[in-house]
Amino acid sequence: MSNPPQPTPEEKLAAAKKLLSLPHIVVICGSTRFMTQMNEADLRETAAGRIVVKPGCDMKSPHALWSDPVEAEALKARLDDLHRAKIRLADEVLVVGDYIGDSTRAEIAYARSLGKPVRFTHPEADPDA
């Protein structure tokens, strides 16, 4: 007798979110040059009843945490890993801004590879449009 297929981690996460009756989770992606617009998108998505996760560090602004170039490089790698985890957690991605750089392009591709819906504040910026 064969064993039934085991649910994937993604299926387990989706089931847990449903059992917990969690609201829709949106992750905001985009260049940190658009932090003001990200904050506005966060406000609007939250007001619409969604849980929002977004970049928590703007490495383009001076800060002691990334003042050393070697430490900054290591931090950037950790933040990239963290943001991919946010994408896995989310139900949907919202890309903010009218510019799509390499990092955001990679995040969009990653989200789409996971089957996550991707919305754009500026749909003309969609690299696949």
Side-chain angles (χ1 to χ4, degrees):
M1 180 168 26
S2 66
N3 293 329
Q6 295 297 311
T8 66
E10 292 81 7
E11 291 168 335
K12 289 180 183 179
L13 176 60
K17 287 169 27 178
K18 187 173 182 175
L19 280 172
L20 292 168
S21 299
L22 291 179
H24 194 75
I25 301 172
V26 176
V27 62
I28 294 177
C29 294
S31 171
T32 55
R33 71 174 72 170
F34 299 117
M35 284 302 276
T36 300
Q37 293 92 329
M38 287 182 186
N39 291 335
E40 178 67 20
D42 184 350
L43 175 69
R44 292 183 181 282
E45 293 294 315
T46 299
R50 298 178 188 102
I51 294 172
V52 178
V53 290
K54 65 180 180 49
C57 296
D58 176 4
M59 292 184 69
K60 290 180 174 68
S61 298
H63 194 281
L65 284 174
W66 48 83
S67 60
D68 176 89
V70 174
E71 291 177 21
E73 190 67 28
L75 177 60
K76 171 79 166 94
R78 290 194 310 274
L79 292 174
D80 288 347
D81 289 344
L82 181 61
H83 204 67
R84 282 189 293 277
K86 291 175 184 180
I87 292 169
R88 289 191 304 275
L89 175 68
D91 299 303
E92 175 184 28
V93 172
L94 174 60
V95 180
V96 173
D98 59 359
Y99 163 79
I100 306 294
D102 292 339
S103 292
T104 304
R105 189 178 314 279
E107 292 165 356
I108 293 166
Y110 183 64
R112 286 180 168 156
S113 78
L114 298 173
K116 305 282 181 174
V118 180
R119 279 190 291 139
F120 292 81
T121 59
H122 294 77
E124 69 278 4
D126 183 348
D128 296 330

